[in-house]
Amino acid sequence: MQFFYEHPSLPSIARRTHSLDFPTHLHQQPELYHLLEGTAIVTVDRETYRLEAGDLAVILPHRLHSYARVGETLAQLCIAELSLLGEYAPVLMRHACADPVVRAPDVHPDIPHSLEALSGPLPEPLAKAYLA
């Protein structure tokens, strides 16, 4: 299996993505992939999961993962800088999710709202407070 390691200083990103296909890779940041529309295949540590609209994939640091769409998709993607995790960073660096997929009925309603808020521009006072 071929894969690549994304740069360790990858900045935090949160954005909507259309029809994401991404090869097998890993990085030191945790990643959330919330599928809003369509069907996608997510592979984490060689286990394959089929996501439907509303499902959430939780990828912890240093886990091999990839994305493949089944038709057109719309998703919210968030990759968080390790520094944002504070005291939880060392714990998350040593673990993997037993099941990295949270099915739509179990996704807390604050998750989609939070990811949407992160993907837009933050008002300057919030940006300075949270991202400085």
Side-chain angles (χ1 to χ4, degrees):
M1 168 191 290
Q2 288 190 321
F3 66 92
F4 68 95
Y5 188 82
E6 285 191 289
H7 196 277
S9 64
L10 182 71
S12 291
I13 63 163
R15 63 184 169 100
R16 282 186 174 224
T17 179
H18 294 271
S19 301
L20 179 67
D21 284 310
F22 207 81
T24 303
H25 66 288
L26 70 149
H27 41 77
Q28 70 179 12
Q29 299 84 352
E31 183 171 329
L32 298 175
Y33 177 82
H34 186 226
L35 187 62
L36 303 173
E37 298 174 8
T39 301
I41 305 299
V42 177
T43 301
V44 180
D45 292 333
R46 299 185 182 186
E47 293 290 327
T48 300
Y49 305 88
R50 183 181 181 94
L51 274 64
E52 302 295 338
D55 292 344
L56 173 74
V58 178
I59 316 297
L60 293 183
H62 299 294
R63 310 315 312 171
L64 282 171
H65 60 288
S66 64
Y67 300 102
R69 62 189 169 92
V70 179
E72 297 300 313
T73 61
L74 176 64
Q76 192 73 37
L77 178 70
C78 180
I79 300 174
E81 281 183 46
L82 215 49
S83 63
L84 296 175
L85 302 177
E87 65 189 71
Y88 297 104
V91 174
L92 293 176
M93 296 285 283
R94 294 190 311 266
H95 291 85
C97 297
D99 183 354
V101 176
V102 180
R103 296 296 172 191
D106 298 321
V107 173
H108 192 281
D110 287 348
I111 298 292
H113 296 298
S114 298
L115 293 174
E116 185 66 31
L118 286 171
S119 69
L122 288 175
E124 189 173 336
L126 284 178
K128 285 181 179 177
Y130 290 104
L131 301 178

